Amino acid sequence: MELLAIVAHPDDADIFCGGTLAKHADRGDTVTIAHLTSGEYGGLESATDIASVREEEARRSGETLGVAAVEFLGFEDGRIEYTLENRLSIVETIRTFAPDVILTHYRDDMHPDHRVTSRLVTDAYYMASLPLVETPSDPCDPENVYYFGKPTSEFEPSVYVDITGYEDVKADAIRQHESQVEFLQSHGGIDAEFDNLVDGVAAENTVLGKQTGVDSAEGFRPFHETTRAYLE
């Protein structure tokens, strides 16, 4: 099976679905993470320097999770806009990797980039299958989109993935984003929920796990409600 996580920033995939990605990669599925931006607003220094650091951190994190590819689409951090050009760029990314399943942000989120990413990916998912929508790659038809969300949003998962046994891999992947772990702890304010990023994420996964009788879990909401569970 092919999984494609399309996220706004480096570290988003690790925080929200890193255990799921590691689990699927470990069982032999092909996993790709596509970042719309390089996260250049996630720091206090030069945006160019921050982008370079965060891209390298994301590549190290991808190696930790065991993913097949880590991509950057070149959108501007904090300035992702809903445009036809951006939608077609994501259509092409979907067609390039031809995934069975796409993972992305839920529509209700405090971060504007997350909200726009959700809308772009949802609409690109539909357009990727249309033969008359022209991009360099051939059309493809992914089975479903699975959304992940933040505890501060209206997000309520209906699909839970047991990531018991992958907690340490997920934590190690998040720690690869060293610049962001430090920035979030010093930034505080509206990002206070992630002041202790690794421990906070682990605690959230423990809470989700208790809801389904396992030690640790990640939660998702599928775009289509189906009888087949593509994420396990």
Side-chain angles (χ1 to χ4, degrees):
M1 189 168 74
E2 308 268 347
L3 280 76
L4 173 62
I6 305 178
V7 297
H9 314 101
D11 79 11
D12 283 341
D14 310 270
I15 291 171
F16 297 113
C17 59
T20 299
L21 298 182
K23 182 177 182 178
H24 278 267
D26 185 48
R27 74 182 196 180
D29 294 335
T30 301
V31 179
T32 300
I33 303 174
H35 306 84
L36 297 195
T37 81
S38 297
E40 61 270 21
Y41 273 2
L44 303 174
E45 307 298 332
S46 161
T48 301
D49 293 342
I50 292 169
S52 178
V53 168
R54 296 200 67 187
E55 286 185 10
E56 180 57 32
E57 290 173 343
R59 293 187 181 96
R60 292 201 304 267
S61 175
E63 291 178 2
T64 301
L65 294 175
V67 307
V70 173
E71 302 290 326
F72 297 90
L73 303 191
F75 292 34
E76 293 184 310
D77 189 12
R79 293 150 289 176
I80 299 177
E81 297 181 350
Y82 188 89
T83 66
L84 178 59
E85 179 182 5
N86 287 347
R87 197 191 328 154
L88 289 174
S89 176
I90 297 174
V91 168
E92 173 58 18
T93 298
I94 293 171
R95 289 175 169 180
T96 297
F97 294 100
D100 298 291
V101 171
I102 299 169
L103 288 73
T104 196
H105 301 274
Y106 186 62
R107 64 178 181 265
D108 175 56
D109 193 288
M110 178 172 58
H111 200 305
D113 281 352
H114 294 182
R115 295 196 300 270
V116 179
T117 297
S118 181
R119 185 181 174 197
L120 282 167
V121 173
T122 301
D123 292 351
Y125 157 71
Y126 171 74
M127 293 185 69
S129 67
L130 301 180
L132 296 183
V133 176
E134 296 184 2
T135 72
S137 298
D138 293 334
C140 69
D141 192 10
E143 297 290 345
N144 212 342
V145 179
Y146 285 82
Y147 302 99
F148 48 76
K150 299 176 73 170
T152 52
S153 76
E154 68 175 18
F155 175 75
E156 294 183 5
S158 60
V159 171
Y160 296 85
V161 175
D162 180 2
I163 62 166
T164 303
Y166 293 92
E167 299 98 328
D168 289 344
V169 175
K170 177 171 180 171
D172 288 344
I174 294 174
R175 290 190 186 99
Q176 300 305 316
H177 300 276
E178 184 178 354
S179 68
Q180 198 61 189
V181 172
E182 294 176 357
F183 173 65
L184 288 173
Q185 288 195 338
S186 64
H187 179 51
I190 61 173
D191 285 321
E193 68 192 274
F194 291 139
D195 276 352
N196 297 297
L197 183 59
V198 176
D199 291 342
V201 171
E204 177 67 18
N205 293 152
T206 298
V207 170
L208 291 173
K210 287 182 177 179
Q211 296 178 21
T212 53
V214 300
D215 290 339
S216 185
E218 292 172 337
F220 303 88
R221 286 185 66 170
F223 184 60
H224 303 296
E225 295 291 345
T226 63
T227 56
R228 178 179 175 182
Y230 289 93
L231 291 184
E232 300 175 330

